[in-house]
């Protein structure tokens, strides 16, 4: 396999991992699948685009801005679509799935109505330059994607294991009732989880936007990939989402290289299927998830 | 029902409606002797597709005013009756029905989309009203019926010409074909390209596909780079085409690029940026062509609407002039059958998009413009 394809796979996989992390954080803590994640990803990318193209900010400032925008949208999502559903223990968990779908559609249509369906690109030299390193070509956006993903993944890992909030997050994800009894405020931990997941989603949106383009339906394909990765990695598993994303990227690129490009998605999902038959709980999950889903 | 339907109030209302309706019906009869040429227009003027319909309406209104300024046709002015289909099949059917039966127009221009024409064309055909699409490129428009025409060049005519002329110029012998395989437009464009390339003796050394809405094409492009073709041939909507081209240039694929109609959009240039430089595309319209009619159209359109006319505007503009020519040949502003036969007989009509004829099957026949992007604008190859 040409070395270039490996670079392609790592870059592609890193963006998948970042998208999947958002899903897995929310699923792990709240026990729901956030169908609006792809649209938060898109909206944050637009926020980054606005900061760079209209206000003329530096690309790194805009990355932080996109993450803040993502977090704010996460807060709105929590208050508008998730918390009202949680208050009613009598209604099924499916209702919050539907309310997040509604939130996503609303977000998408706001952007479609006011900005139209066109693709926009960042006014930045990242868009056209590239470096040749022997047999491989690397673009600045590749390096940015790989670096930012690494920083976020390592940061998240440390944060979850070393900080108090991180430990509380894991405790709620392990057993919400017991952690509540031990004095963890589950309500605010949920808020942290949604905001953090959406901020990471925002970073992913910004990175994809820099590498490619920003448009109102960009979240859809990434959302689908992200969802399948958390199934592959194990629902709610953070390392599962990271490794799962890289595996999916690698499978897709290898399919194009060794089979045919029209098999790209089919082969990727066929392999996912086989993996799930062998390990129903996903790569890093228990055979049966902890009595939540 | 307990009561009689005809309460006094309802009876009065009924008579009022009959009165009003008969007044409407009487109108066309009273002025039948020397009437303006009434042309119906069905376009997508609101909603998503209004980006295509609005330039069409603007061009038609400009053409109408230009014809009427110079004395109209057969001494009569041209009158447009414009209906909005919203880009919707039912909207188009209703509009055509209204134009054919209530407004009693001589003939109809539109609708904007091929899909709308497939729905509304048969309605016009049954009413024996000529309907001519000015932006329908799909296969099978002409086959709807004897009263259905188009002046827009079908893809099957433009793409082979693009391949032939670009090969003359560049002399390539191998090509890579890249296309999105999940939308009709790109797939049929790719099939037409493949046939045209093979017919010209070009060897296709790599075929790679992707999906509309994909953003990362580097795996496919890395493979194409290994096959090292002389040219890249791309059939895609503008968004994917532009992203793909950008990634191709980043990965060091410097080959010339030939594209389908998706390349024919200012949006393509804006997303592709410098990666779009040198790309070759076949187009029915070239605003920079050195011809007095083109210059007059472009200047007056720009003065009136503040933007350069696009391909949709240009084809609509020529459409109304074709209709005026047909009325002149038919010698009547009301005879629908004479109009149809006159339109079908038009040959070598000199319009802004080029010299236009209907062939023996009533399909448009004209030379496509082969354009190349240079410094961010389309110029003739």
């Amino acid at each position: 396999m040409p070395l270039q394809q490996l670079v392609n796979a790592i870059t592609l996989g890193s963006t998948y991992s970042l998208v999947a992390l958002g899903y897995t954080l929310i699923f792990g803590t709240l026990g729901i699948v956030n169908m609006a994640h792809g649209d938060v990803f898109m909206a944050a990318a637009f926020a980054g685009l606005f900061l760079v193209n209209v206000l003329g900010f530096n690309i790194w400032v805009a990355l932080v801005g996109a993450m803040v925008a993502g977090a704010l949208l996460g807060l709105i999502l929590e208050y508008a679509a998730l918390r009202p559903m949680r208050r009613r223990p009598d209604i099924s968990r499916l209702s919050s799935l539907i309310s997040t779908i509604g939130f996503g559609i609303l977000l998408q249509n706001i952007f479609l109505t006011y900005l139209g369906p066109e693709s926009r690109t960042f006014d930045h030299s990242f868009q056209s330059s590239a470096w040749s390193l022997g047999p491989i070509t690397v673009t600045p956006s590749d390096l940015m994607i790989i670096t930012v993903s690494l920083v976020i993944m390592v940061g998240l890992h440390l944060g979850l294991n070393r900080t108090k909030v991180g430990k509380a997050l894991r405790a709620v994800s392990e057993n919400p009732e017991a952690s509540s009894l031990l004095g963890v405020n589950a309500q605010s931990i949920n808020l942290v989880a949604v905001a953090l997941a959406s901020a990471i989603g925002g970073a992913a949106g910004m990175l994809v936007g820099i590498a490619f383009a920003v448009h109102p339906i960009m979240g859809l394909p990434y959302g689908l990939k992200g969802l399948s990765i958390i199934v592959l990695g194990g629902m709610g598993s953070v390392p599962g989402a990271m490794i799962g994303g890289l595996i999916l990227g690698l499978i897709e690129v290898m399919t194009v290289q060794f089979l045919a490009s029209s098999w790209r998605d089919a082969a990727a999902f066929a392999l996912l299927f086989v993996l799930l038959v062998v390990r129903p709980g996903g790569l890093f999950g228990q055979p049966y998830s902890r009595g939540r889903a | 029902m307990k009561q009689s339907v005809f309460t006094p109030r309802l009876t009065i209302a009924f008579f009022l409606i009959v009165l009003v309706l008969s007044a409407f019906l009487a109108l066309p009869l009273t002025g039948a002797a020397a009437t303006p040429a009434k042309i119906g227009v069905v376009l997508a003027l609101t909603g998503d597709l209004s980006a295509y319909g609005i330039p069409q309406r603007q061009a038609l209104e400009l053409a109408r005013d230009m014809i009427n300024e110079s004395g109209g046709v057969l001494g009569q002015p041209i009158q447009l009756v414009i209906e909005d289909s919203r880009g919707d099949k039912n909207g188009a059917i209703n509009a055509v029905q209204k134009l054919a039966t209530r407004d009693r127009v001589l003939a109809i221009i539109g609708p904007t989309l091929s899909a709308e024409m497939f729905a509304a064309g048969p309605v016009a055909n049954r009413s024996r009203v000529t309907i001519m699409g000015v932006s329908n490129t799909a296969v099978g428009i002409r086959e709807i019926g004897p009263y259905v025409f188009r002046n827009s060049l079908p893809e099957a005519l433009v793409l082979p010409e693009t391949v032939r002329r670009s090969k003359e110029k560049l002399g390539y012998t191998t090509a890579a074909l890249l296309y999105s395989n999940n939308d009709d437009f790109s797939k049929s464009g790719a099939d037409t390209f493949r046939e045209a390339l093979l017919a010209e003796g070009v060897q296709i050394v790599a075929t790679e596909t992707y999906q509309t809405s994909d953003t990362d094409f580097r795996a496919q492009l890395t493979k194409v780079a290994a096959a090292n073709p002389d040219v890249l041939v791309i059939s895609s909507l503008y968004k994917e085409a532009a992203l793909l081209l950008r990634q191709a240039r980043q990965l060091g694929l410097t080959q010339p690029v030939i594209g389908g109609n998706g390349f024919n959009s200012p949006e393509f240039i804006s997303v592709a940026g410098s990666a779009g430089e040198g790309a070759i595309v076949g187009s029915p319209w070239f605003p920079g062509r050195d011809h007095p009619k083109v210059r007059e159209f472009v200047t007056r359109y720009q003065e009136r609407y503040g933007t350069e006319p696009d391909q949709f505007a240009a084809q609509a503009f020529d459409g109304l002039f074709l209709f005026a020519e047909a009325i002149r040949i038919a010698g009547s502003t009301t005879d629908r059958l004479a109009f149809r036969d006159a339109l079908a007989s038009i040959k070598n009509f000199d319009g802004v998009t080029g010299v236009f004829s209907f062939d023996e099957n009533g399909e448009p026949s004209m030379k496509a413009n082969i354009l190349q992007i240079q410094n961010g604008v389309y110029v003739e190859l």
Side-chain angles (χ1 to χ4, degrees), chain A residues 4-5 8 11-12 117-119 121 127 129-130 137 139 142 211-212 215 222 256-257 259 261-262 264, chain B residues 181 207-209 211 213-220 222-223 238-239 243 246-247 250-251 267 270-271 274:
Chain A
Q4 181 66 47
Q5 295 289 35
N8 297 343
T11 333
L12 184 65
E118 296 92 41
S119 288
T121 54
Q127 300 256 276
S129 50
T137 307
T139 65
D142 289 345
F212 310 121
H215 57 91
Y222 281 90
V256 172
Q257 179 65 29
L259 272 167
S261 40
S262 44
R264 184 170 174 157
Chain B
N181 63 355
T207 304
E208 294 294 323
T209 62
Q211 313 249 302
S213 85
D214 272 3
T215 47
D216 189 326
F217 309 97
R218 288 188 298 184
Q220 285 93 327
T222 304
K223 236 181 130 184
Y238 85 89
K239 200 180 289 176
L243 285 178
R246 244 173 46 193
Q247 290 166 31
Q250 280 185 329
L251 283 174
E267 290 289 325
S270 93
V271 177
S274 60

Side-chain angles (χ1 to χ4, degrees), chain B residues 61-214:
Chain B
E61 287 173 342
L62 177 63
R64 174 199 61 197
D65 294 350
M66 283 169 69
I67 292 168
N68 291 346
E69 274 165 26
S70 55
V73 272
L74 306 174
Q76 294 297 322
I78 283 191
Q79 192 187 328
L80 297 181
V81 186
I82 300 176
E83 296 291 330
D84 179 11
S85 68
R86 301 177 309 281
D88 171 59
K89 288 179 196 170
N90 289 326
I93 291 174
N94 290 339
V96 166
Q97 237 151 16
K98 171 184 174 288
L99 290 169
T101 54
R102 206 162 81 210
D103 297 316
R104 306 187 65 78
V105 296
L106 173 64
I108 299 171
I109 283 185
T112 305
L113 302 184
S114 297
E116 290 179 285
M117 182 59 114
F118 285 122
V123 178
N125 198 57
R126 267 200 303 278
S127 320
R128 304 216 168 109
V129 179
T130 302
I131 186 165
M132 184 174 81
V134 290
S135 51
N136 311 142
T137 56
V139 175
I141 295 288
R142 184 69 192 103
E143 285 72 22
I144 296 171
Y147 284 85
V148 182
F149 294 84
R150 62 170 154 197
N151 78 335
S152 37
L153 282 187
E155 213 172 54
L157 217 144
V158 178
L159 300 185
E161 177 110 353
T162 315
V163 169
R164 200 178 52 73
R165 298 256 296 273
S166 62
K167 183 168 183 275
E168 261 172 36
K169 187 100 178 176
L170 304 169
Y172 49 84
T173 55
T174 59
L177 181 61
L178 295 128
Y179 65 98
S180 41
N181 63 355
N182 69 334
D183 85 75
D184 288 355
F185 166 79
S186 306
K187 174 76 167 59
S188 91
D191 292 342
T192 314
F193 263 133
R194 185 182 294 116
E195 271 173 39
L197 286 167
L198 294 177
E200 291 290 327
V202 178
Q203 199 194 342
I204 300 174
V205 291
T207 304
E208 294 294 323
T209 62
Y210 42 87
Q211 313 249 302
T212 297
S213 85
D214 272 3

Side-chain angles (χ1 to χ4, degrees), chain A:
Chain A
M1 180 156 113
L3 219 49
Q4 181 66 47
Q5 295 289 35
L6 203 62
V7 178
N8 297 343
I10 293 174
T11 333
L12 184 65
S14 302
T15 54
Y16 287 168
S17 298
L18 276 186
V19 175
L21 273 181
Y23 280 108
T24 219
L25 267 177
I26 293 182
F27 185 84
T29 322
L30 283 73
I32 59 147
V33 174
N34 172 20
M35 297 299 286
H37 193 64
D39 299 297
V40 170
F41 161 96
M42 171 276 295
F46 267 106
L49 187 81
F50 178 75
L51 287 172
V52 172
N53 287 11
V54 181
L55 302 182
F57 276 107
N58 172 294
I59 209 124
W60 299 99
V61 177
L63 177 66
V64 175
M67 293 181 75
V68 171
L72 287 177
L73 280 169
L75 293 183
I76 299 174
L77 173 74
E78 160 73 7
Y79 280 110
L82 298 178
R83 194 159 287 189
M85 299 293 157
R86 247 190 337 262
R87 283 221 191 89
R88 302 271 310 271
D90 54 316
I91 54 178
S92 122
R93 233 186 250 293
L94 260 185
S95 9
S96 47
L97 182 85
I98 303 300
S99 69
T100 57
I101 291 179
F103 188 84
I105 292 176
L106 181 70
L107 214 53
Q108 204 181 90
N109 279 288
I110 289 174
F111 279 87
L112 271 174
T113 309
Y114 290 101
L115 295 171
E118 296 92 41
S119 288
R120 286 148 216 269
T121 54
F122 279 82
D123 296 336
H124 198 274
S125 56
F126 270 30
Q127 300 256 276
S128 48
S129 50
W131 298 306
S132 285
L133 308 168
I136 58 167
T137 307
V138 186
T139 65
S141 48
D142 289 345
L143 290 184
M144 187 171 177
I145 286 174
I146 294 171
T147 329
V148 172
S149 311
L150 262 177
V151 169
I152 287 179
M153 287 180 204
V154 171
L156 190 68
H157 185 76
L158 290 180
L160 283 178
N161 289 301
R162 302 275 166 85
T163 66
K164 211 162 180 185
V165 180
K167 285 176 182 163
L169 249 165
R170 282 168 49 225
V172 172
S173 127
E174 199 76 33
N175 190 329
E177 288 79 21
S179 50
S180 238
L181 288 174
L182 292 170
V184 176
N185 183 346
Q187 199 76 303
S188 49
I189 287 302
N190 285 336
L191 199 62
V192 170
V194 178
L196 186 62
S198 304
I200 295 176
M206 171 86 184
L207 292 173
V208 168
I210 291 177
F212 310 121
V214 182
H215 57 91
I217 39 179
M218 67 187 280
L220 193 65
Y222 281 90
L224 285 176
K225 297 277 160 72
L227 270 177
S228 43
I229 290 163
I230 61 166
V231 177
L232 166 70
M235 302 293 278
S237 157
V238 170
M242 298 186 202
I243 308 291
L246 288 173
I247 291 179
L248 187 64
L250 197 65
I251 296 175
E252 283 191 19
V253 169
M254 279 169 61
T255 310
V256 172
Q257 179 65 29
F258 298 114
L259 272 167
S261 40
S262 44
W263 285 91
R264 184 170 174 157
D265 283 355
F269 283 97
L271 256 169
L272 276 186
F273 175 75
V274 172
L275 263 168
L276 285 179
V277 170
V278 181
R279 276 189 71 89
L283 292 176
F284 290 82
Q286 278 78 32
Y288 299 99
S289 51
R290 303 169 286 255
R292 302 214 56 177

